[in-house]
Amino acid sequence: MAATRKLFELCGSESDRVFSPYCWRTRMALAHKDIRAETIPWRFTEKAAIAPHRSDKVPVLIDGDTSVADSWAIANYLEDTYPDRPSLFGGAGGRAVGQMLNWWGDIAVVGGIFPMIVKDIYDHLRPADQAYFRETREKRLGKTMEQAAANRNVAVEEFRKSLMPMRLTLKTQPYLGGDAPNYADYIVFGGFQWARATSPFKLLKEDDPIYAWRERLLDAFGGMARNAPGYAV
């Protein structure tokens, strides 16, 4: 089965620089379950490659004859299909809380980071993907990427304040999942790894408990995330 398990992951001009926050959620989930998958580099304008799997965005996991799109759907699939492997949620309650955190991660973390690093992401793309990315992301932002990034030294302060509930949690326990990381951690970590892969802009201060938490996850699974292409931020 391992030989037929594949994961479509977003990259830019460098095929080994995987930077989607959602792909990183899935990467960490697979590592947590100790499940291997072959990486298939995918770019924004290669939608035809994943269209047969009923998706126009990644991650897409191919597991034998089964294909699953969307990081949350993949996490649930892994949990249900491989119950003999370490649990991503620690039970039904953890899965329910994880669903809430999945939305918080999308809105507060990914949404908060995006305007600050959008131009840096653009700089890592191939020309064909740059044109697509600029058109679609500037429509989403309602301004140019350059305008969005111009205010990031101010915006980052508000972003750091928005993380206070997470910061207070990490003052009393090492991970969002408690004594060990689980999918709640991977949801949030995906956003920070996305930024680290594409941007030299510093989102966290070294004395922040969230910084220490991120460092621990960078070292998890044999340093998988730390050893991936990225910036020392």
Side-chain angles (χ1 to χ4, degrees):
M1 182 67 75
T4 61
R5 194 179 294 124
K6 305 179 189 302
L7 181 65
F8 284 91
E9 297 185 284
L10 178 65
C11 65
S13 56
E14 303 162 89
S15 60
D16 62 340
R17 190 181 293 268
V18 175
F19 63 86
S20 161
Y22 308 106
C23 291
W24 270 103
R25 292 178 189 180
T26 297
R27 269 200 176 197
M28 298 295 280
L30 286 165
H32 183 102
K33 287 278 192 184
D34 194 22
I35 295 172
R36 299 180 185 277
E38 176 191 348
T39 291
I40 303 178
W42 181 90
R43 296 171 175 89
F44 287 112
T45 55
E46 297 174 344
K47 296 189 183 297
I50 57 175
H53 306 294
R54 302 178 301 283
S55 183
D56 63 353
K57 53 186 177 293
V58 292
V60 174
L61 176 68
I62 313 300
D63 192 9
D65 295 329
T66 301
S67 62
V68 189
D70 179 80
S71 58
W72 177 250
I74 292 170
N76 281 277
Y77 169 81
L78 293 174
E79 187 76 346
D80 296 337
T81 306
Y82 300 99
D84 56 320
R85 303 296 183 97
S87 175
L88 289 169
F89 302 112
R95 193 188 302 231
V97 172
Q99 187 164 33
M100 185 281 292
L101 279 173
N102 202 64
W103 288 114
W104 184 78
D106 289 352
I107 295 168
V109 180
V110 174
I113 292 172
F114 177 63
M116 295 185 283
I117 68 166
V118 61
K119 180 57 169 58
D120 297 322
I121 297 172
Y122 173 88
D123 291 339
H124 280 286
L125 304 179
R126 302 180 307 180
D129 298 300
Q130 284 181 328
Y132 166 84
F133 188 80
R134 181 178 286 277
E135 178 183 357
T136 57
R137 272 47 180 183
E138 290 186 345
K139 184 177 181 180
R140 182 185 303 176
L141 288 164
K143 62 182 73 174
T144 68
M145 293 185 294
E146 290 78 8
Q147 288 170 330
N151 191 46
R152 67 184 182 179
N153 288 327
V154 175
V156 72
E157 296 300 329
E158 290 303 312
F159 172 70
R160 289 168 181 165
K161 290 178 185 177
S162 76
L163 302 176
M164 185 56 74
M166 180 180 175
R167 186 172 295 114
L168 292 172
T169 301
L170 293 172
K171 285 184 177 181
T172 62
Q173 59 194 53
Y175 298 100
L176 299 180
D179 291 333
N182 66 13
Y183 196 68
D185 294 275
Y186 309 145
I187 288 169
V188 184
F189 177 76
F192 286 105
Q193 183 68 357
W194 166 52
R196 183 179 178 274
T198 56
S199 176
F201 184 65
K202 194 173 187 64
L203 295 173
L204 299 170
K205 294 181 178 179
E206 286 87 346
D207 61 354
D208 191 334
I210 300 173
Y211 183 96
W213 162 87
R214 190 195 65 167
E215 288 291 295
R216 290 190 288 274
L217 285 171
L218 285 170
D219 288 332
F221 312 120
M224 178 180 69
R226 189 181 296 280
N227 294 329
Y231 294 89
V233 291

